[in-house]
Amino acid sequence: MKVYDASELRNVAVVGHSGAGKTQLVAALLVDGGAINKFGKVDDGTTVTDYDEEAIARKHTLSATLAHLEWRKKKINLIDTPGMGNFLADARSALHAADAAMVVVDANSGVQVSTEKVWHFADETSLPRLIVVNRLDRDRSSFDRAVESIHAYLGRACVPIQLPMGAGADFNGVVDLVAMKTYRWAGDESGKMLENNIPSGEAGDAQHAREVLIEAVAEADEALMEKFFSAGTLTQDELTTGLTRAIREGKLFPICCASGLRNIGAQTLADAIVTYLPSPAERPFEGIDAKGETSTRTADNSQPAVAWIWKSIADPFAGQISLFRVVSGVLKSDTTVRNVTRGGDERLGHLMLLEGKTPTNVNEVHAGDIGAVAKLRDTHTGDTIGDKNAGFRVPPLVFPEPVLSYAMVPKSRADEDKLGQSMHRLIEEDPSISFTRDAQTHDILLSGQGQLHIEVSVAKLRRRFGVEVSLKPPHIPYRETITAKTEAHGRHKKQTGGHGQFGDCKIRVEPLPRGSDFEFVDDIFGGAIPRQFIPAVEKGIQETRTRGYLAGYPMVDFRVTVFDGSYHDVDSNELSFKMAGRLAFRDAMTRARPTLLEPVMNVEVYAPSEHAGDLMGDLNSRRGRIAGMDAKGAATVIKAQVPMAEMLTYEQQLTSHTGGRGAYHMEFSHYDEVPGHLLPKIIAASKAERGEVKAEEE
Ligand SMILES: Nc1nc2c(ncn2[C@@H]2O[C@H](COP(=O)(O)OP(=O)(O)OP(=O)(O)O)[C@@H](O)[C@H]2O)c(=O)[nH]1
Ligand SMILES: [Mg+2]
């Protein structure tokens, strides 16, 4: 394997909305660079980066995957990422591991939900970006319209450096506005582009677009701005160096043209990547030094070795595979490194470079490059490994909290036995899912970013680990609370032969604002209850409130004040006061008018505007409160707050309403009271469920 210096590398995360053609474009780049012989197609399941069985079956990238090509003596590492909303956590990790992003935009749809999301992720590290308007071979595609939508949503700092030649089925090449040359597609799948001068008489559009580009470059730099004002233009040299600098500083985002499926424009795109995007040597990596202060590290082989694990893969055979970006120094096979994040030592086995699923063993991975290693003992996604004197770590990314839970029912005893360990391995690969046992219902819950996310996780369980589970309708994490203030009394008294039991307390309960959880106040004066027994009263109340009163859900947002009581010199003990606390609490609930709280989600729906009316009506019927509506080009964004219980079936509904062109995102907002008429049904359902659980246990 050839070893590249950091200045010869380009690490590019390929991001954008689902269906923009990222995976197909990566396939074109790989065949053009000679990394593979056969041009892979998403629709045939033959691409390098959609190698996972589940990705092939669904024709969507579900997880970040790696590939590379050599182009003009530079090594381009491409990280293909998912564009579907449920799976964007991986796109974010990839963006943090890379030195630049290639943002792929569909020439028909323009900027879409995920395009904006990934753009904001890239803002987090001020990542240099290149935009590709892709699928330009399609009917009714429009480069100009796509650029308009890019300006509207991603900003005016995005500027074409290429124009397409021909449109739709006639798209056949690109005009390079910097070189002022045409690159005509040779007409076959090799992707070859034939260079020519722009025929005189046809240069009008290109000349105009070049002037726009020159002005943008001048605006990005004060010295160039002055030259531009005095000379009325920039020299060729000023343009190329100014453009390169502005792109690397994140001040300008160049726009290119391509059709990945027909392999048109991929080679001019590869040229743009190596020319304009920074190498790791030029882009210091941000992290924290030994003193705990923010610091940067540049990809330099002579520095101590530091590598950041940005992703893990759960492989049924090889075990856990950790994907790392070497921040500085050289990582070597068969050596011991320090886990800088956790403090332990880790033995590195064979280091590998990954091409899709195919590993190649290597002895070393150099500064700036992306590699992989299997079977680390106690190193997880987000950790930094390196030399003992590394003195630098990269903080782990925080993954989004799951928004939706389903109960998993193992098909057999064997499935049940394997479930825990297999889930554990899947979470290592995808920290945006979680696996818990519901304390009340004993259900095994799988939580994720949406229904599709959960279904895909279940499919992975089956395919990779042979674990079969079925899904039960998701659980809504209801809470209980009280709506009235009241006082109550609890007395526990037992006379059994010798020692008796005696505990007695009076409490006041009162509602607190939403989000306050629970408060316990000790307001005993004059020793009505001896000091040492007050924690027992609190314990009795705590235990009872977490088990709920109406439907077994934890009670929140209220205060309990214990203000009086009595005791017995001999018979009082902790247990008696705990019982008294319980009894007082139960008594209070009979008058405190308990009710249920339900989670309410912030929902954003994006869809072609012709569906806006339908979708608003649908959200209303789901007890949604519409908070706003925005037109975005041909799309509408509806913002609403909707109870989680009403959103469980939303994904299918949205797909069928919009013919698959809508998308939505939701996250937890707050808890709100469940309307009275819905209470009986929820309480009955919960009782039935808990009844079953009891019966099983007995
Ligand atoms: N006409 C045309 N179709 C394309 C082009 N690129 C991709 N497609 C098709 O568009 C669909 C989606 O392409 P992908 O490459 O899987 O899109 P993606 O951006 O990777 O999508 P996700 O993995 O879901 O994020 C496939 O059916 C491709 O064959 C193109 O340049 N022209
Ligand atoms: Mg893809």
Side-chain angles (χ1 to χ4, degrees):
M1 270 277 164
K2 189 174 162 194
V3 174
Y4 295 82
D5 186 69
S7 63
E8 299 169 315
L9 295 172
R10 300 290 182 274
N11 295 313
V12 184
V14 184
V15 294
H17 197 81
S18 178
K22 298 179 290 299
T23 303
Q24 190 58 58
L25 191 55
V26 167
L29 286 164
L30 294 179
V31 76
D32 291 0
I36 48 172
N37 297 324
K38 193 172 170 298
F39 186 19
K41 299 283 165 60
V42 169
D43 295 330
D44 306 337
T46 53
T47 63
V48 171
T49 53
D50 273 1
Y51 63 80
D52 180 71
E53 278 177 289
E54 209 47 44
I56 292 174
R58 293 175 191 262
K59 296 198 171 66
H60 286 292
T61 309
L62 302 169
S63 182
T65 55
L66 271 174
H68 86 274
L69 68 148
E70 192 187 79
W71 192 255
R72 299 197 191 285
K73 303 215 163 61
K74 306 280 188 291
K75 178 187 181 188
I76 305 177
N77 284 319
L78 295 169
I79 312 176
D80 189 11
T81 70
M84 281 192 295
N86 282 191
F87 302 88
L88 284 185
D90 250 30
R92 181 162 176 251
S93 300
L95 287 164
H96 278 254
D99 303 297
M102 178 163 107
V103 181
V104 184
V105 173
D106 175 57
N108 279 65
S109 314
V111 171
Q112 292 168 282
V113 199
S114 296
T115 330
E116 280 190 84
K117 288 249 155 67
V118 296
W119 192 264
H120 295 313
F121 292 155
D123 285 338
E124 293 171 349
T125 50
S126 310
L127 200 64
R129 277 151 259 186
L130 175 153
I131 301 168
V132 192
V133 173
N134 188 35
R135 310 219 297 173
L136 276 163
D137 60 294
R138 287 177 78 218
D139 267 1
R140 289 189 295 279
S141 64
S142 159
F143 181 73
D144 292 345
R145 233 187 315 113
V147 171
E148 264 173 45
S149 106
I150 290 168
H151 283 163
Y153 305 118
L154 310 181
R156 311 255 358 151
C158 307
V159 47
I161 58 166
Q162 298 175 351
L163 292 183
M165 291 156 61
D170 296 328
F171 172 58
N172 69 348
V174 306
V175 181
D176 182 323
L177 300 173
V178 179
M180 283 306 261
K181 300 257 186 206
T182 61
Y183 292 84
R184 191 176 297 276
W185 179 48
D188 56 40
E189 281 194 347
S190 76
K192 199 162 168 358
M193 307 288 281
L194 307 170
E195 181 185 300
N196 251 308
N197 293 321
I198 303 179
S200 55
E202 287 177 28
D205 284 350
Q207 199 56 48
H208 175 71
R210 180 180 158 93
E211 276 156 25
V212 173
L213 173 65
I214 289 177
E215 204 170 326
V217 169
E219 268 173 28
D221 183 297
E222 233 166 90
L224 285 182
M225 194 67 196
E226 278 173 26
K227 287 194 177 162
F228 177 73
F229 269 131
S230 56
T233 187
L234 297 179
T235 64
Q236 185 65 19
D237 194 41
E238 285 164 348
L239 171 61
T240 47
T241 51
L243 176 62
T244 310
R245 192 171 345 111
I247 292 170
R248 291 179 186 190
E249 288 173 355
K251 290 181 179 160
L252 275 189
F253 307 105
I255 305 177
C256 299
C257 313
S259 159
L261 188 62
R262 293 182 60 197
N263 201 351
I264 308 176
Q267 303 203 351
T268 33
L269 178 62
D271 284 339
I273 291 173
V274 298
T275 310
Y276 299 117
L277 297 183
S279 78
E282 294 160 298
R283 206 169 169 279
F285 216 84
E286 285 180 19
I288 295 168
D289 66 14
K291 290 193 220 99
E293 280 164 25
T294 330
S295 162
T296 57
R297 205 33 95 75
T298 309
D300 176 349
N301 287 339
S302 64
Q303 294 275 324
V306 174
W308 182 54
I309 314 284
W310 59 275
K311 158 103 198 144
S312 304
I313 299 171
D315 188 281
F317 308 109
Q320 181 193 321
I321 300 175
S322 307
L323 272 52
F324 57 82
R325 150 83 193 246
V326 182
V327 174
S328 66
V330 178
L331 217 58
K332 297 191 165 95
S333 292
D334 302 314
T335 55
T336 299
V337 291
R338 172 65 51 90
N339 181 321
V340 187
T341 310
R342 287 169 206 271
D345 279 346
E346 254 321 331
R347 182 79 196 155
L348 299 179
H350 281 305
L351 299 183
M352 310 177 274
L353 299 180
L354 282 181
E355 201 60 23
K357 67 179 166 192
T358 315
T360 307
N361 286 347
V362 290
N363 293 328
E364 301 180 340
V365 182
H366 284 225
D369 212 346
I370 295 176
V373 61
K375 297 204 168 86
L376 295 185
R377 198 172 35 85
D378 188 24
T379 294
H380 306 276
T381 305
D383 288 0
T384 303
I385 54 173
D387 287 348
K388 288 198 173 58
N389 62 345
F392 187 82
R393 70 185 169 83
V394 182
L397 292 176
V398 177
F399 283 85
E401 287 295 321
V403 297
L404 195 66
S405 303
Y406 274 75
M408 289 191 284
V409 185
K411 291 240 163 91
S412 72
R413 190 62 202 239
D415 292 319
E416 186 170 355
D417 291 343
K418 281 190 288 182
L419 183 59
Q421 211 207 350
S422 307
M423 272 310 301
H424 193 73
R425 294 176 63 181
L426 270 193
I427 292 170
E428 192 67 57
E429 165 168 317
D430 180 359
S432 66
I433 55 176
S434 75
F435 172 66
T436 46
R437 193 176 275 275
D438 186 309
Q440 274 118 34
T441 59
H442 298 265
D443 275 343
I444 310 166
L445 299 182
L446 170 59
S447 312
Q449 304 300 314
Q451 197 174 337
L452 185 62
H453 193 204
I454 287 172
E455 283 169 16
V456 165
S457 302
V458 165
K460 280 191 196 167
L461 274 180
R462 185 181 60 244
R463 287 197 206 253
R464 295 210 202 153
F465 305 110
V467 178
E468 299 264 359
V469 300
S470 57
L471 289 174
K472 271 203 307 192
H475 268 278
I476 307 295
Y478 291 108
R479 297 281 179 266
E480 300 184 15
T481 192
I482 60 171
T483 57
K485 181 173 171 174
T486 184
E487 289 184 357
H489 184 198
R491 170 183 286 226
H492 175 71
K493 190 175 174 186
K494 233 178 201 169
Q495 212 62 59
T496 42
H499 243 316
Q501 293 179 20
F502 185 86
D504 176 62
C505 67
K506 286 186 178 165
I507 60 170
R508 189 180 311 118
V509 299
E510 60 201 306
L512 289 178
R514 285 291 89 78
S516 322
D517 201 16
F518 173 70
E519 269 178 35
F520 179 80
V521 179
D522 167 10
D523 197 18
I524 296 284
F525 285 102
I529 300 175
R531 283 285 76 121
Q532 73 269 30
F533 294 138
I534 290 177
V537 174
E538 178 175 2
K539 204 163 173 205
I541 291 170
Q542 282 284 15
E543 283 179 9
T544 325
R545 79 147 183 127
T546 49
R547 266 178 282 154
Y549 180 76
L550 290 177
Y553 297 105
M555 302 199 82
V556 295
D557 300 347
F558 68 110
R559 176 189 294 136
V560 172
T561 309
V562 52
F563 64 92
D564 201 2
S566 63
Y567 69 101
H568 186 280
D569 278 336
V570 179
D571 292 349
S572 280
N573 57 20
E574 270 181 30
L575 184 67
S576 313
F577 273 99
K578 200 166 125 182
M579 292 301 294
R582 256 188 225 181
L583 292 171
F585 187 77
R586 292 251 171 78
D587 179 38
M589 287 311 120
T590 59
R591 291 180 302 280
R593 282 195 252 124
T595 189
L596 290 183
L597 297 174
E598 63 179 345
V600 177
M601 312 300 284
N602 279 326
V603 181
E604 274 185 34
V605 184
Y606 302 72
S609 298
E610 68 257 35
H611 302 295
D614 266 6
L615 292 175
M616 302 250 273
D618 179 61
L619 288 171
N620 274 322
S621 73
R622 292 172 192 269
R623 299 192 281 128
R625 242 176 294 162
I626 309 284
M629 198 175 102
D630 261 330
K632 286 204 166 185
T636 296
V637 184
I638 307 169
K639 292 190 177 160
Q641 291 202 320
V642 192
M644 183 197 268
E646 305 287 340
M647 288 301 287
L648 300 178
T649 54
Y650 194 63
E651 209 157 294
Q652 301 103 304
Q653 190 73 25
L654 181 65
T655 308
S656 72
H657 263 309
T658 61
R661 296 179 63 212
Y664 82 108
H665 173 76
M666 67 177 181
E667 59 192 18
F668 172 74
S669 166
H670 64 280
Y671 272 93
D672 216 347
E673 275 184 42
V674 174
H677 69 280
L678 296 176
L679 287 177
K681 206 174 139 200
I682 300 170
I683 293 171
S686 158
K687 285 215 167 115
E689 193 153 343
R690 282 179 303 146
E692 278 171 27
V693 171
K694 272 228 178 77
E696 263 172 37
E697 277 173 352
E698 276 158 15

